[in-house]
Amino acid sequence: MTSTHGAPPADSALSPVPPMPPVPPEEAVTPLMRGIAVLRGLTDAGGAATLSDLGRATGLARSTVDRVAATLARMGYVHLDGSNAALAPRLMELGNAYLAALRLPDLLSGHADALADALDESVSLAVADGDGIRFIHQAIRRRALSLSFRIGDLLPAERTAPGPLLATEWSAQDWSRWRERQLADPEDLGFPAIPRRAHDAATADFPRRVEEARLRGWALDDQLIEPGLVALSVAVRTPDGRIACVASAVSHTSRHSADSLRDSLLPRLRAAVAAMERELAIAPPSETPSGPGGPHRPSGTIGAKGASGPDALEGLRGPTGLVAWTSASKQELGGEFITSLARGLTAITAFGEGRAELTLSEVAERTGLPRATARRALITLQHLGHVTVEGRAFRLAPRVLSLGFPPLSKATLTHIARPHLTALTDRVKNSTSLAVLTDDHVQCALSVPAGRIMDVDIAAGSRVPAYATSAGRVLVASLPAERRAAWLAHVRLEALTPRTVTRPTDLEAILQRVRDDGYALVDDELEEGLRSVAVPVRDREGVVVAAVNVHTHSGRGPAAECVMDIVPELCATADSLEADLHVTGRFVHVPVS
């Protein structure tokens, strides 16, 4: 049984988006504020909603929502299907910019993951966001009864274990804002990741818990979020003593009471936090920007490890191309494209690793935005709480993670691949699938039929011998030499048709050719009349994790024609899928399904 408090309430199609801060500055960009409201609405809806529901949630006119959605779709941030909108993986580059600039996930996530393995409990890292806490890393124990919190989820400080620790650094103004929020939102409706508050015990007790956390250096959550959930937290401090983030071990009462959680886990949690603090003390400032990149697909790169490159948005519409891209988009979409929205969101991508603080001039230089445009975008983002400013330096705030990151951080490879395979099926008019290697077999993770009278029917979850399929050969060919040799040594090669390759030396030569060519084609070897062609899909480290296939009847044309027509389409699909996978996998693990 999986907890479902990350979903919107069942009695409403879409929860209202919290109102924008009052009285925007005169220079604020209204279309940018509207676009962010739509992204927040989609995020709080779990990642998908109708355009009409978004209009009701945001209070925007339907025509405005349509234009915003069209612009976001043009940017690759939203998928549109008629009147339905869904967040697209590319949107995660905004949250990635914040997390990369923050650097804490890169520096500390390994320690959190190791602690989760050692404790066999979920471990999270959280930072302050106003009078709430926002998760920046999750190491979840996957059980039938497990947690559904996601990176980017916002929780009220008073109902969490990290909250009292973070509140030890609150100013009088912070406490005043917290009290105002208690009066304005007594049920915690502004925190869609958790159930509504049923009573005020957590609020009344919060100041005492803060003082206890100040004295003890740790804090407990004893079922304040929901019955059964308990958590223990310790602050991770920078060398100057400030709280950088809070590490938490989370369990449920069938495994621990709050007291037993503290007694059994506190020493190991403190030891892990000490290791994290040593990491922060020795970490040099980063100078080199980094981000997800996609290796090119020349022949002979099936097993190659791709080098990292610029973020997807930066590579597509970077400093030299933004003006041309927005002009072309405006020419193509006309009034449906909102230039100021696209440019405003682009300002967020100026930040990243080695770019935690930027001046206005640096933001303009990195994005290609005119200085005046960058200034208005930053003023708007500061007004909405997505940017902070100190002197001449701008920084991204944790609230950037509210722009789609929580639902997208749970995306699987199958979910990411579906729109790409659907588009491929539409182009080639043949069935397509995504497959992964499981020992001697390949397993179909996703299948998109073409709907022809005579169609290839491969059900998701089905397994077939790897040696006789194009996907299997692509995946085996990508293995390191030792693993590939071991695989060839133990696999049983049986004749499934008269054309099935059954000699190990012949298969070994074929696999080498697949590595050289960058694709595999199999004709009549798994089943008579069945032809398939496949190319690899690589993660952001360049490791082949899946294969994309096109299946057809061998009587529809010669094999050479299939290679000429289908392989380029497959490569284009794999490239676009990899771009999404690289963005999604920057700070989260992407499971197959």
Side-chain angles (χ1 to χ4, degrees):
M1 174 180 167
T2 300
S3 178
T4 58
H5 46 245
D11 58 350
S12 65
L14 198 59
S15 300
V17 176
M20 295 180 183
V23 193
E26 185 175 340
E27 292 180 280
V29 183
T30 300
L32 178 56
M33 292 193 292
R34 291 170 175 168
I36 286 176
V38 169
L39 289 174
R40 288 285 307 278
L42 273 171
T43 301
D44 292 346
T50 68
L51 297 178
S52 296
D53 281 344
L54 286 171
R56 286 188 287 271
T58 60
L60 298 173
R62 172 60 191 270
S63 59
T64 300
V65 173
D66 287 349
R67 294 181 64 222
V68 167
T71 303
L72 295 172
R74 177 70 173 182
M75 298 185 75
Y77 288 170
V78 165
H79 292 306
L80 288 179
D81 182 10
S83 62
N84 298 309
L87 298 175
R90 189 66 56 86
L91 178 62
M92 290 182 74
E93 64 192 1
L94 302 183
N96 285 348
Y98 163 72
L99 293 172
L102 184 67
R103 297 187 66 210
L104 293 177
D106 279 331
L107 292 172
L108 306 183
S109 61
H111 295 284
D113 294 347
L115 179 63
D117 290 338
L119 300 179
D120 194 27
E121 300 287 359
S122 296
V123 172
S124 63
L125 301 176
V127 296
D129 186 352
D131 63 355
I133 70 143
R134 202 175 290 273
F135 294 110
I136 59 170
H137 181 73
Q138 292 280 10
I140 300 295
R141 298 295 89 187
R142 303 200 178 277
R143 302 187 180 99
L145 183 64
S146 61
L147 303 177
S148 63
F149 290 133
R150 306 156 300 187
I151 297 176
D153 271 335
L154 178 69
L155 278 62
E158 67 275 9
R159 291 177 65 182
T160 69
L165 290 162
L166 292 168
T168 61
E169 296 188 339
W170 283 5
S171 65
Q173 187 178 18
D174 293 327
W175 280 104
S176 177
R177 280 196 293 262
W178 175 77
R179 293 187 179 94
E180 290 174 3
R181 194 252 298 165
Q182 303 303 311
L183 296 174
D185 185 12
E187 294 184 301
D188 290 339
L189 299 181
F191 300 89
I194 60 172
R196 296 177 180 179
R197 192 191 331 165
H199 51 78
D200 293 331
T203 299
D205 204 35
F206 187 55
R208 179 188 62 79
R209 293 176 61 221
V210 172
E211 287 309 307
E212 288 181 348
R214 191 191 309 275
L215 294 173
R216 297 171 173 172
W218 53 267
L220 279 172
D221 164 15
D222 189 358
Q223 306 180 74
L224 295 174
I225 292 176
E226 69 176 23
L229 189 150
V230 290
L232 171 70
S233 290
V234 174
V236 181
R237 298 183 181 274
T238 59
D240 62 3
R242 293 179 298 109
I243 296 177
C245 64
V246 175
S248 301
V250 186
S251 189
H252 51 79
T253 51
S254 61
R255 293 173 61 84
H256 285 286
S257 68
D259 288 341
S260 74
L261 187 73
R262 176 200 60 213
D263 294 343
S264 59
L265 302 191
L266 184 56
R268 284 185 285 181
L269 180 57
R270 278 177 162 162
V273 166
M276 293 180 190
E277 291 176 342
R278 289 193 294 271
E279 193 82 53
L280 295 181
I282 64 174
S286 175
E287 300 293 339
T288 305
S290 71
H296 296 292
R297 193 174 295 278
S299 61
T301 59
I302 274 191
K305 182 174 181 178
S308 294
D311 286 347
L313 181 67
E314 189 175 323
L316 181 64
R317 306 181 287 278
T320 61
L322 180 64
V323 173
W325 180 84
T326 52
S327 297
S329 299
K330 189 69 174 179
Q331 185 174 3
E332 180 178 333
L333 298 181
E336 292 298 298
F337 182 78
I338 307 173
T339 302
S340 56
L341 168 57
R343 291 179 172 178
L345 291 175
T346 300
I348 295 175
T349 66
F351 298 84
E353 185 177 344
R355 307 188 301 275
E357 292 186 353
L358 294 176
T359 65
L360 170 60
S361 297
E362 289 169 335
V363 171
E365 181 181 359
R366 285 204 57 82
T367 59
L369 292 170
R371 183 182 169 89
T373 301
R375 179 174 178 274
R376 293 190 64 201
L378 291 169
I379 287 173
T380 307
L381 293 168
Q382 181 188 4
H383 169 65
L384 296 177
H386 297 282
V387 164
T388 62
V389 60
E390 184 174 346
R392 298 175 60 245
F394 294 89
R395 299 178 68 97
L396 294 183
R399 194 164 299 175
V400 171
L401 293 175
S402 70
L403 304 180
F405 213 91
L408 289 172
S409 70
K410 289 292 188 180
T412 64
L413 177 58
T414 301
H415 174 82
I416 296 169
R418 186 175 297 279
H420 298 283
L421 263 65
T422 300
L424 175 62
T425 298
D426 289 343
R427 293 198 303 271
V428 301
K429 310 304 180 187
N430 284 295
S431 296
T432 62
S433 66
L434 181 81
V436 295
L437 187 65
T438 58
D439 299 323
D440 295 345
H441 292 74
V442 288
Q443 180 170 324
C444 177
L446 172 66
S447 179
V448 180
R452 303 177 69 142
I453 294 174
M454 186 172 65
D455 206 354
V456 178
D457 183 14
I458 299 178
S462 60
R463 299 168 76 243
V464 293
Y467 68 88
T469 63
S470 59
R473 291 178 182 178
V474 160
L475 294 167
V476 173
S478 71
L479 296 174
E482 288 186 5
R483 287 185 59 195
R484 189 168 65 253
W487 188 93
L488 284 165
H490 85 266
V491 69
R492 289 185 59 190
L493 305 181
E494 299 179 352
L496 305 176
T497 75
R499 296 190 61 180
T500 306
V501 173
T502 57
R503 292 176 56 185
T505 53
D506 292 342
L507 182 58
E508 186 175 7
I510 288 172
L511 293 176
Q512 184 56 54
R513 189 161 65 247
V514 169
R515 288 177 62 83
D516 294 339
D517 294 342
Y519 70 90
L521 184 141
V522 170
D523 237 345
D524 299 320
E525 294 191 48
L526 179 67
E527 182 179 316
E528 291 185 89
L530 176 62
R531 173 184 293 159
S532 66
V533 59
V535 299
V537 175
R538 301 175 180 85
D539 65 14
R540 59 177 292 109
E541 301 300 324
V543 176
V544 174
V545 293
V548 177
N549 313 258
V550 170
H551 312 280
T552 184
H553 190 274
S554 56
R556 289 180 182 153
E561 184 178 295
C562 178
V563 170
M564 183 180 301
D565 295 341
I566 300 298
V567 170
E569 295 287 356
L570 273 169
C571 290
T573 298
D575 285 341
S576 60
L577 170 53
E578 286 176 353
D580 281 352
L581 182 59
H582 297 163
V583 173
T584 307
R586 174 65 176 92
F587 290 101
V588 301
H589 169 67
V590 182
V592 174
S593 60

